[in-house]
Amino acid sequence: MIENQKSYLPGNRMRDVIRDNNMLLMAISRFDIGFGFGDSTIAETCEANGVDTSTFIAVCDLLSHAEADASKVSLPSLMGYLRRAHTSFLDITLPHIRHHLIEAINYSETDDVAFLLMKFFDDYVLEVKRHMEYENNVIFSYVDRLLEGQVDESFSISKFSMNHSHMAAKLNDLKDIYIYHYKQRDIARLSATLFDIIICERDLMAHFEVESRLFVPAVERLENSLRTAICCETENDGGNEVETNSQLEALGEREKDIIRCVARGLANKEIADELCLSVHTVATHRRNISAKLGIHSSAGLTIFAILNKLVDLPSVRPQ
């Protein structure tokens, strides 16, 4: 981690981030960020490439073993990252390893064993493909529907997370078989390929951490927000509608702007920057809003904003 920092900051230069942890090159490619960013900061580079800065920083922090802030993760941005990671594993990394494994074991005198080892690898790749295609076609489609405001009572992300694994164990087994049991004299190419397997194994485990510690919690927050909103909407049908409208009418336009910002997941400093106010003024407005509405949490204000159509669901950040 960059000296005297607990996490990466939007103002850090991208080149310093890469120097800090070269493994973040893979994260950069999976956010579809091109090279040639010179001395640009994280925020400048992300903005230029249409990437959510908070999501990029959360992933980089996690991959660098720092404390990652999952509260401001943008699910569309993170799913783009995860989809490109799946493509990278299935279309680049695993085929690359297979190609070099075939080259590395051509010198073996135990062709039957070599055949079995390649079958082991091919079966493993098929398993990874099924796992990632399930996430692409089922899990990400489920989250897309959530982002559109559609709640599926028959499914939740917790059902997925209970059976979720990093898929790296069998790859580790294959590596160990080659190292401890496969006899071969010329091992230069095989050693290089085993090193690729080790990197892939670590990459798969890091990918699992991103899904488990950033993606799943963000989806859970979205599920909870939507279900709470639906529950409140049901309770508010009829008699409470007049009360809700009167509360909305009691708010000034600037207060409504601040509620919209809160629903989008912005902190007071970010709200102040966006609305050209001081942080003190934002804090004062928020106290006044809480007094008028009797709502004291960001999650509560987000639900209020949804129910009163101050924001569209796709713009809401889970609180």
Side-chain angles (χ1 to χ4, degrees):
M1 184 57 61
I2 294 175
E3 189 176 359
N4 299 324
Q5 290 186 195
K6 293 183 178 179
S7 68
Y8 296 115
L9 301 174
N12 288 144
R13 294 190 308 172
M14 284 290 285
R15 65 165 61 205
D16 294 332
V17 171
I18 295 171
R19 285 172 181 164
D20 192 59
N21 181 359
N22 290 332
M23 295 299 290
L24 295 180
L25 282 171
M26 288 187 287
I28 289 171
S29 70
R30 291 168 187 176
F31 274 109
D32 201 23
I33 294 175
F35 292 149
F37 37 72
D39 287 324
S40 297
T41 65
I42 291 176
E44 291 167 343
T45 305
C46 287
E47 183 177 358
N49 288 271
V51 174
D52 181 75
T53 302
S54 296
T55 305
F56 178 82
I57 289 176
V59 170
C60 289
D61 283 343
L62 187 60
L63 297 182
S64 299
H65 309 290
E67 186 174 345
D69 182 5
S71 64
K72 296 182 180 179
V73 163
S74 162
L75 277 170
S77 189
L78 185 58
M79 284 196 296
Y81 167 90
L82 294 173
R83 283 187 171 108
R84 281 185 285 271
H86 291 171
T87 299
S88 176
F89 283 119
L90 296 177
D91 294 352
I92 300 174
T93 303
L94 292 172
H96 171 85
I97 290 173
R98 187 181 193 279
H99 174 76
H100 287 285
L101 270 178
I102 291 173
E103 287 187 341
I105 61 178
N106 276 343
Y107 307 100
S108 172
E109 297 176 359
T110 54
D111 292 335
D112 290 342
V113 175
F115 174 79
L116 290 174
L117 287 171
M118 288 307 305
K119 185 177 185 305
F120 183 103
F121 180 78
D122 288 342
D123 289 344
Y124 168 75
V125 171
L126 183 60
E127 186 178 340
V128 173
K129 183 178 180 181
R130 288 171 178 164
H131 176 93
M132 293 184 174
E133 286 181 346
Y134 172 78
E135 291 182 3
N136 287 344
N137 300 329
V138 178
I139 302 303
F140 295 160
S141 295
Y142 165 73
V143 178
D144 284 335
R145 292 193 298 274
L146 285 179
L147 289 167
E148 294 172 355
Q150 303 175 34
V151 179
D152 184 352
E153 296 295 344
S154 66
F155 186 80
S156 68
I157 198 66
S158 61
K159 293 182 180 179
F160 162 73
S161 62
M162 285 189 297
N163 299 310
H164 189 216
S165 67
H166 53 61
M167 303 293 292
K170 287 188 177 180
L171 199 58
N172 183 63
D173 290 343
L174 178 66
K175 175 198 67 181
D176 286 349
I177 288 172
Y178 274 110
I179 293 174
Y180 301 118
H181 305 289
Y182 187 70
K183 296 185 181 299
Q184 181 172 312
R185 293 179 182 177
D186 187 342
I187 63 168
R189 292 189 181 186
L190 184 57
S191 294
T193 305
L194 292 178
F195 183 76
D196 289 339
I197 289 176
I198 291 170
I199 296 298
C200 181
E201 178 189 352
R202 292 177 180 175
D203 195 9
L204 282 166
M205 294 182 74
H207 179 76
F208 171 79
E209 288 296 305
V210 171
E211 290 183 324
S212 298
R213 295 173 58 184
L214 297 180
F215 176 67
V216 170
V219 177
E220 287 176 339
R221 287 193 294 273
L222 179 57
E223 287 175 334
N224 292 336
S225 294
L226 288 173
R227 286 169 181 153
T228 302
I230 290 171
C231 181
C232 291
E233 192 170 36
T234 302
E235 292 176 357
N236 283 335
D237 283 345
N240 289 335
E241 186 174 349
V242 174
E243 179 184 349
T244 301
N245 289 339
S246 65
Q247 287 180 324
L248 186 63
E249 291 170 1
L251 297 171
E253 289 305 314
R254 182 58 79 191
E255 290 171 331
K256 292 177 185 177
D257 288 339
I258 287 175
I259 291 175
R260 292 186 185 98
C261 290
V262 171
R264 287 165 47 210
L266 301 185
N268 281 2
K269 176 64 168 61
E270 294 170 312
I271 296 173
D273 291 342
E274 179 155 322
L275 300 181
C276 298
L277 302 172
S278 69
V279 175
H280 174 74
T281 300
V282 172
T284 300
H285 277 306
R286 290 195 64 168
R287 284 195 297 270
N288 292 337
I289 291 168
S290 296
K292 290 179 180 181
L293 302 181
I295 299 173
H296 303 281
S297 68
S298 296
L301 290 176
T302 300
I303 292 169
F304 178 87
I306 294 170
L307 292 176
N308 289 278
K309 297 180 172 53
L310 293 177
V311 293
D312 297 325
L313 272 172
S315 67
V316 172
R317 285 266 186 90
Q319 303 292 321

